[in-house]
Amino acid sequence: MNAFWCETAIVRADHPEEGYPALAAASGVRIETHNGRISSITTDTEAQPNDMRLSGITFPAAANAHSHAFHRVLRGRTHEGRGDFWVWREQMYRSASELTPEKYEKLATAVFAEMVVTGFSSVAEFHYVHHQPDGTPYAEPHAMELALARAAMSSGIRLTLLDTLYLAGGIGTPLNPEQARFGDPDVHAWLDRLNSLRAVVAEQFPKELVSVGAALHSVRAVPEEDLKVVARQLPEDIPLHIHLSEQPAENQACLEAYGTTPAGLLERHGLLSSRLSAVHSTHLTQEDIALLGNAGTTVVMCPSTEADLADGIGPARELAGAGAAIALGTDQHAVIDPWTEMRTLEHGERLGTGQRGRFSPQELLRAATEGAARSMATPIAASGLEVGAVCDLMVIDPASTRTAGSRPLQMAFSATSSDVTEVIIAGELVASHGAHTRLGRPGSLLTEALKELS
């Protein structure tokens, strides 16, 4: 058992806010743990001799509901000249072509370590680089997937590995040579491979740290007939993710081919539900918003990526009002910083509407914690500390140049990852002042990993 004494901590309060438990900043909070979970919380108390003292403000650690680890290669390398998402995608494909299991494990370890030191304790990795560049499977079954699982274990982050179905290069278009390694012979081969991966991961890794989920790359990459098979045969006990309506061109192609929007196509085949996470959802009709809300779908917004790629500003507030849960992810890792994602979500709403306060600070914290938890197969803490939750914590310095004077529950509008002083996962200290306790500083890890990738 480890115990922590927090100078200040964000805990669950008794009075509800908009149907959710409210949060409060409590002083002198002592947390006891058992098997990596919070077994007791006492407020207004003194530290015991063996407690780990956490100065500053202790929050539940954040969850990253959408990641492509290898996209980190492109940070700071894709900003010369003009272009759009489709130009950027060609650069991304070139980076994917260089990956091997060994290189990917090294890169992903560094990327996951960067997530950990910035305050993330869990990640949903949307993974589609399955095979060798020509599409031939590796001799070792699941070589790329297991490389990611080992990277997560090395960094200490909780991983939901989303094995992705990617069969087409566009609606009615076969995979091109750069996409060959993403594909499978057909949807049935993917389902078989997914089931095999689940068995291997369950045998080799602790369930609370590494679990397998499923993803459909997009309606561009999965033909309608295969959506029907997924709806009938995908195991019901795993999360399902999909990129949805990220670009107007995707919507137009879907309308021309199927007579409906991507959200309408999913609804047609019974794929809209509370287990679905729709990533981006940037260009939606009012009917789409109603469909996603009525189904209780989780919508994963990636505000820094959507800004970096000029995707647009998604209707997050309307989706939340319609009944969808909002989660946050870092996608292509233009930034890895949960506080920046929270703030950018609200800033996008303000820029799009001319109104402030579209999301309250507590709603932003929920999106970064329990909202994202809905997307995952591994457990994470709620938006406020509570008994029974996993003991995943991050501590913020309240007296930095950025945070000085901020109220604890309004840190989403001032803090950045630079203000994270400690990160605890499963009751163990894994990061302190920007350094990983086992791996050192992620910048050094990333520098070494990126040397092997052009």
Side-chain angles (χ1 to χ4, degrees):
M1 180 193 81
N2 288 336
F4 305 89
W5 182 85
C6 310
E7 182 179 22
T8 303
I10 304 303
V11 300
R12 293 277 191 162
D14 295 330
H15 50 286
E17 180 206 41
E18 299 171 357
Y20 293 92
L23 307 178
S27 299
V29 178
R30 189 168 185 271
I31 300 169
E32 292 185 337
T33 70
H34 179 71
N35 292 333
R37 289 182 176 265
I38 297 174
S39 56
S40 71
I41 297 176
T42 308
T43 59
D44 296 317
T45 191
E46 299 296 323
Q48 299 299 311
N50 293 325
D51 292 352
M52 179 181 292
R53 291 172 176 260
L54 301 177
S55 300
I57 304 170
T58 300
F59 289 82
N64 189 344
H66 188 67
S67 163
H68 301 290
F70 78 91
H71 288 194
R72 175 62 180 80
V73 174
L74 301 174
R75 185 192 296 176
R77 299 182 176 193
T78 61
H79 302 284
E80 293 179 356
R82 297 182 182 273
D84 57 13
F85 168 84
W86 305 102
V87 173
W88 172 87
R89 190 178 73 156
E90 296 305 315
Q91 297 169 312
M92 179 269 288
Y93 284 162
R94 288 194 290 273
S95 295
S97 70
E98 300 183 62
L99 296 173
T100 64
E102 295 75 21
K103 289 180 181 179
Y104 205 7
E105 181 173 350
K106 189 172 183 179
L107 175 63
T109 299
V111 175
F112 291 156
E114 182 180 2
M115 291 183 195
V116 166
V117 303
T118 61
F120 289 108
S121 68
S122 56
V123 60
E125 178 65 26
F126 198 113
H127 167 67
Y128 52 81
V129 188
H130 302 303
H131 309 300
Q132 298 183 67
D134 65 355
T136 305
Y138 285 97
E140 177 192 9
H142 314 299
M144 293 295 264
E145 292 74 27
L146 295 178
L148 286 168
R150 290 191 297 269
M153 291 296 293
S154 295
S155 68
I157 201 166
R158 302 178 191 272
L159 173 68
T160 298
L161 181 57
L162 299 168
D163 196 87
T164 302
L165 178 62
Y166 200 136
L167 297 176
I171 296 175
T173 304
L175 295 172
N176 65 43
E178 290 179 312
Q179 298 167 319
R181 70 185 314 183
F182 308 160
D184 287 288
D186 56 38
V187 65
H188 301 286
W190 172 71
L191 285 165
D192 289 343
R193 190 171 58 74
L194 174 67
N195 289 330
S196 171
L197 176 63
R198 293 185 73 195
V200 170
V201 167
E203 180 180 339
Q204 295 187 18
F205 301 95
K207 183 177 181 181
E208 287 213 343
L209 297 179
V210 181
S211 292
V212 174
L216 312 174
H217 180 271
S218 60
V219 299
R220 290 181 288 108
V222 182
E224 182 174 21
E225 291 304 309
D226 297 313
L227 292 176
K228 296 178 183 178
V229 175
V230 171
R232 291 195 305 267
Q233 298 188 23
L234 186 70
E236 296 181 357
D237 61 337
I238 60 175
L240 177 64
H241 290 225
I242 187 170
H243 295 124
L244 188 79
S245 293
E246 183 177 4
Q247 292 291 321
E250 173 189 331
N251 291 347
Q252 186 60 36
C254 190
L255 282 166
E256 292 174 358
Y258 304 125
T260 187
T261 63
L265 186 63
L266 297 181
E267 195 274 337
R268 178 184 294 173
H269 299 295
L271 288 167
L272 290 186
S273 71
S274 59
R275 79 148 164 180
L276 181 73
S277 292
V279 182
H280 301 306
S281 302
T282 310
H283 302 281
L284 302 178
T285 66
Q286 290 301 309
E287 183 178 1
D288 293 338
I289 292 170
L291 287 173
L292 292 167
N294 289 337
T297 301
T298 297
V299 175
V300 183
M301 297 291 187
C302 305
S304 66
T305 286
E306 288 144 10
D308 183 76
L309 298 182
D311 285 348
I313 300 170
R317 182 70 267 171
E318 290 182 81
L319 284 160
I326 303 299
L328 293 172
T330 63
D331 193 0
Q332 57 120 349
H333 314 311
V335 175
I336 295 180
D337 184 336
W339 299 96
T340 293
E341 299 298 343
M342 286 184 249
R343 187 156 52 251
T344 306
L345 178 68
E346 169 63 13
H347 284 176
E349 284 285 323
R350 294 182 184 190
L351 289 169
T353 66
Q355 298 176 340
R356 301 179 80 232
R358 299 281 288 175
F359 284 95
S360 72
Q362 294 198 31
E363 288 178 303
L364 296 175
L365 288 169
R366 280 198 292 271
T369 53
E370 60 199 88
R374 289 168 53 104
S375 294
M376 300 188 182
T378 54
I380 70 160
S383 53
L385 304 181
E386 62 181 1
V387 173
V390 291
C391 187
D392 291 3
L393 315 173
M394 67 168 154
V395 184
I396 291 292
D397 177 2
S400 76
T401 303
R402 292 160 296 278
T403 61
S406 299
R407 294 176 177 174
L409 285 170
Q410 294 190 30
M411 284 293 171
F413 291 95
S414 59
T416 73
S417 59
S418 297
D419 302 309
V420 176
T421 57
E422 285 90 20
V423 179
I424 288 136
I425 301 177
E428 301 289 340
L429 181 71
V430 293
S432 179
H433 296 276
H436 195 283
T437 54
R438 295 193 303 273
L439 301 176
R441 295 204 171 270
S444 298
L445 300 174
L446 288 160
T447 298
E448 290 302 311
L450 292 169
K451 284 179 180 178
E452 300 181 13
L453 300 164
S454 62

